[in-house]
Amino acid sequence: MNQPLAYIHPEAKIAQNVVVEPFTTIDKDVEIGEGTWIGPNVTIMSGARIGKNCKIFPGAVIAAMPQDLKFAGEKTTVVIGDNTVIRECVTVNRGTVDRLKTVVGANCLLMAYVHVAHDCIIGNNCVLANAVQLAGHVEIGDYAIIGGTSAVHQFVKVGQHAMISGGSLIRKDVPPFVKAGREPLTYSGINSIGLRRRGFTDPKISEIQQLYRLLFLTGLNNNDALDKIELELLPSPERDEVVNFVRNSGRGIIKGYSRNGNNAE
């Protein structure tokens, strides 16, 4: 760990078997867990909490001050879970007084040039492809995948197991278990391949498909569609996850797809 060409603040708390490559800077008030590899030319600033067995590649900047004019110097953190890989030139900014932290979960992959702004919460097992840009206060559910060069508006939520096409402009909330694409971003079906890979059975996938048929293809508004879902489908974790997500959506959810090429209401 004792790389003579790296700067490590004496107050940083770094596990014994962490590898720090040359020309990296690690500031005070930093914690790094066992087995983590910090590549060359990485900057880890005050407030970083990095888990075990992570890999952080050259050019990454972790726990820089938030790009928020309201930030007044409050003590905030960045928390990165175990086994997460952060590729070249990724930036993850500290939180603000809103949440006091920015979180990237365990087993995530943030590809090159991803930006994670202040107060974002990213779940476990997520993939953000090259140059995905998250504005402040974004929430990403477990196992979500966002395609390269996509931009996510502040306060947007992306549900668990969702898959979003590359180059997307994500202005509305994306419910769990779906695929989304086109411009404006639109429901494109169930992420059935991803769900099967993660152990969802065919009957469970069929249940989720029926749920979204009721939500997007019946011509009902969201509230009436949710009532119909609760009336016609038996309670299950997946049904309740979708119903609660849509009911609690602050920005509204993406629209459904209609065969005439227009967005379904």
Side-chain angles (χ1 to χ4, degrees):
M1 187 194 77
N2 296 321
Q3 171 50 246
L5 297 179
Y7 171 76
I8 302 174
H9 194 282
E11 296 178 15
K13 298 178 180 178
I14 302 177
Q16 288 298 313
N17 59 348
V18 169
V19 174
V20 180
E21 301 289 1
F23 311 116
T24 280
T25 298
I26 299 177
D27 208 342
K28 63 181 178 181
D29 190 26
V30 168
E31 299 176 12
I32 302 177
E34 297 176 359
T36 287
W37 175 78
I38 310 294
N41 294 293
V42 172
T43 302
I44 301 178
M45 305 180 79
S46 294
R49 307 287 184 265
I50 300 170
K52 300 177 181 178
N53 301 313
C54 296
K55 291 182 172 59
I56 302 180
F57 281 72
V61 179
I62 309 299
M65 288 174 55
Q67 299 175 123
D68 186 337
L69 295 176
K70 301 185 298 299
F71 181 69
E74 54 267 28
K75 183 178 174 62
T76 59
T77 60
V78 162
V79 180
I80 296 174
D82 298 344
N83 307 305
T84 282
V85 175
I86 294 177
R87 293 303 304 254
E88 295 83 358
C89 300
V90 168
T91 54
V92 185
N93 289 354
R94 284 162 44 201
T96 69
V97 70
D98 176 55
R99 287 175 173 159
L100 300 177
K101 62 183 178 180
T102 301
V103 178
V104 179
N107 306 300
C108 291
L109 171 58
L110 276 55
M111 297 188 194
Y113 293 97
V114 165
H115 174 65
V116 180
H118 59 87
D119 303 291
C120 288
I121 306 294
I122 300 174
N124 301 322
N125 303 288
C126 294
V127 177
L128 275 56
N130 295 299
V132 167
Q133 307 291 290
L134 304 187
H137 315 278
V138 166
E139 296 183 26
I140 309 291
D142 294 348
Y143 291 98
I145 298 174
I146 302 180
T149 73
S150 295
V152 187
H153 194 282
Q154 63 182 354
F155 294 103
V156 156
K157 297 181 180 180
V158 176
Q160 60 181 270
H161 299 280
M163 184 172 186
I164 300 174
S165 172
S168 295
L169 301 177
I170 307 166
R171 307 176 181 94
K172 297 285 189 179
D173 293 348
V174 180
F177 312 116
V178 307
K179 296 182 296 185
R182 307 181 182 91
E183 172 58 31
L185 193 67
T186 305
Y187 167 75
S188 303
I190 300 302
N191 184 18
S192 54
I193 293 175
L195 293 176
R196 286 192 181 95
R197 287 172 176 169
R198 294 165 202 143
F200 284 71
T201 64
D202 286 342
K204 180 57 67 175
I205 292 172
S206 295
E207 173 194 325
I208 296 170
Q209 288 172 327
Q210 177 60 18
L211 188 157
Y212 279 106
R213 289 190 190 102
L214 294 172
L215 180 61
F216 284 128
L217 302 178
T218 57
L220 299 173
N221 65 42
N222 288 342
N223 287 331
D224 290 342
L226 292 176
D227 290 341
K228 189 174 181 68
I229 288 168
E230 291 184 312
L231 181 66
E232 296 188 6
L233 298 182
L234 293 174
S236 71
E238 293 76 19
R239 188 204 76 165
D240 294 345
E241 177 70 21
V242 173
V243 168
N244 291 333
F245 184 98
V246 176
R247 282 225 165 98
N248 295 320
S249 172
R251 294 188 54 80
I253 64 169
I254 59 173
K255 299 298 185 181
Y257 180 72
S258 62
R259 287 186 175 84
N260 63 10
N262 297 319
N263 287 338
E265 292 298 322

